[in-house]
Amino acid sequence: MKIQSFGLLSLLSVVSCWTCGSAFVPRSMVMMPKSSTLVDSPSSFALSAAATDIDLPAVRSALGKLVKDKNCGPILIRLAWHDAGTYSKEDESGGPRGVMRLEGEQSEANFGANNGLDIARDLIANIKEELAADMSYADFWALASIVAIEEMGGPKVTFRMGRKDATKVEESVPEGRHPDGDKGSDHLREVFGRMGLTDQDIVILSGAHTVGSCHLDRSGFDGPWTEEPFKFDNAYYVDMINKDWKEAKSNEGNPQFNSDANTMMLISDLALMEDEKFRVYVDKYAEDQDAFFSDFAESYQKLLELGCKDLQEA
């Protein structure tokens, strides 16, 4: 990897973004639109498929068709990621509970990091209503992301049911629990460590950037991370190492790194190359896609189940 500019580390306090098209956006750089899909009816479903009329194969099939027809896999991953990624192991607050569906000024739907996720909720609303009415939103969003990963060629992730939905908007956590792209390794370890996740989990879950793109209207950044943004593979790591990354700015004036292949990386992506403990895993997954798939399936299941108890494999 070559970085052509005044240096990555000098930029680490300049810009903020996580999976802009599939995982977080800067809180200070985006507008926060009112979601068109929020509902104020409480739901506390925590049911197994066997105890309901849910036809999981039919739900999976409908979600898979949607992903193929709409190329919406990356944003479905981001929806589930951001639902789960608020968890704190210290007080067991946050975590996957579908709270973004609830209206209110303090709703997590209004977080800058969740800008644009109303699109994802709109896309899957009919499937939820028609085929998965008895499934909690947290379970449904998790399943949608798992199906998306598989449909884009990624690993099979174990899906277990029983997540309980929030019943009131006051269960939203304070804004600020998602990672900021304008900070380096210490910040990443602080955020992911709050969830009980490891250095390896950080690098693995960042690998979800192998799909999706940044969008100017959501994050202030622009472009896909890889040349095939709807193919789930290990290209994120391969490109990180092998492409020449030139310091640039998006049309919004935010710094990013561009390649000659019209792909981009964020400061938070390339920071994984600067930390020697992270770099070990970047090298591992660039060399071995099977290892990445195996480890991603484990870490992603861990993320989706943060704080959950008594889940049942479906």
Side-chain angles (χ1 to χ4, degrees):
M1 176 190 70
K2 297 180 181 178
I3 301 175
Q4 300 179 18
S5 72
F6 43 85
L8 172 62
L9 294 179
S10 65
L11 284 173
L12 283 174
S13 62
V14 178
V15 65
S16 174
C17 186
W18 188 239
T19 65
C20 305
S22 60
F24 75 78
V25 299
R27 296 193 300 271
S28 61
M29 294 183 181
V30 297
M31 298 299 291
M32 296 181 289
K34 183 177 180 180
S35 169
S36 62
T37 61
L38 300 180
V39 296
D40 58 6
S41 57
S43 171
S44 57
F45 295 123
L47 306 173
S48 69
T52 70
D53 293 328
I54 299 170
D55 183 346
L56 278 180
V59 177
R60 283 180 173 270
S61 178
L63 288 168
K65 184 177 187 303
L66 179 72
V67 170
K68 291 178 180 178
D69 290 348
K70 300 295 185 181
N71 279 334
C72 61
I75 200 170
L76 297 184
I77 297 171
R78 182 171 163 239
L79 176 64
W81 207 115
H82 280 209
D83 188 36
T86 58
Y87 181 68
S88 172
K89 67 177 182 179
E90 181 176 352
D91 61 6
E92 298 187 338
S93 62
R97 65 223 186 283
V99 75
M100 272 186 275
R101 79 193 194 284
L102 300 175
E103 289 184 341
E105 184 176 350
Q106 70 191 80
S107 174
E108 291 178 21
N110 296 326
F111 291 178
N114 295 332
N115 190 38
L117 287 178
D118 56 317
I119 297 171
R121 296 192 297 273
D122 275 338
L123 284 169
I124 58 178
N126 287 341
I127 298 173
K128 175 71 170 72
E129 180 180 353
E130 295 175 6
L131 297 175
D134 289 337
M135 187 184 292
S136 72
Y137 281 86
D139 276 347
F140 183 63
W141 295 350
L143 178 60
S145 72
I146 287 172
V147 171
I149 290 165
E150 293 180 14
E151 289 293 337
M152 292 187 290
K156 294 184 180 298
V157 179
T158 297
F159 173 61
R160 302 198 298 169
M161 292 181 65
R163 296 165 186 80
K164 296 181 180 179
D165 282 337
T167 59
K168 52 187 178 181
V169 72
E170 287 76 16
E171 294 179 53
S172 297
V173 300
E175 187 168 8
R177 291 193 180 187
H178 296 103
D180 286 332
D182 63 346
K183 298 180 176 67
S185 299
D186 289 345
H187 172 71
L188 290 174
R189 289 192 173 97
E190 179 182 355
V191 170
F192 284 82
R194 186 204 69 234
M195 293 185 272
L197 301 176
T198 66
D199 280 3
Q200 187 173 13
D201 292 320
I202 293 171
V203 179
I204 291 168
L205 294 172
S206 296
H209 283 172
T210 199
V211 295
S213 302
C214 283
H215 301 274
L216 285 173
D217 60 340
R218 301 177 201 170
S219 67
F221 301 94
D222 189 36
W225 282 273
T226 66
E227 294 179 53
E228 297 183 86
F230 301 108
K231 179 181 179 181
F232 199 105
D233 57 15
N234 68 336
Y236 172 75
Y237 305 108
V238 174
D239 290 355
M240 186 182 293
I241 292 172
N242 293 328
K243 290 186 183 298
D244 293 339
W245 297 103
K246 301 174 183 178
E247 190 270 334
K249 289 186 177 181
S250 72
N251 288 338
E252 294 292 329
N254 297 321
Q256 60 184 57
F257 293 88
N258 294 344
S259 75
D260 291 337
N262 295 319
T263 59
M264 55 83 68
M265 290 275 172
L266 301 170
I267 291 171
S268 57
D269 296 311
L270 296 185
L272 299 178
M273 299 286 290
E274 300 296 312
D275 186 289
E276 62 181 14
K277 293 181 179 179
F278 289 156
R279 177 62 188 262
V280 171
Y281 298 112
V282 172
D283 290 339
K284 174 182 178 179
Y285 299 132
E287 295 170 2
D288 190 342
Q289 179 169 283
D290 289 341
F292 170 51
F293 276 22
S294 177
D295 291 347
F296 184 88
E298 181 177 339
S299 289
Y300 194 67
Q301 181 185 355
K302 185 191 304 185
L303 172 70
L304 295 181
E305 296 184 356
L306 289 173
C308 300
K309 300 176 181 179
D310 301 322
L311 298 183
Q312 301 179 31
E313 190 161 346

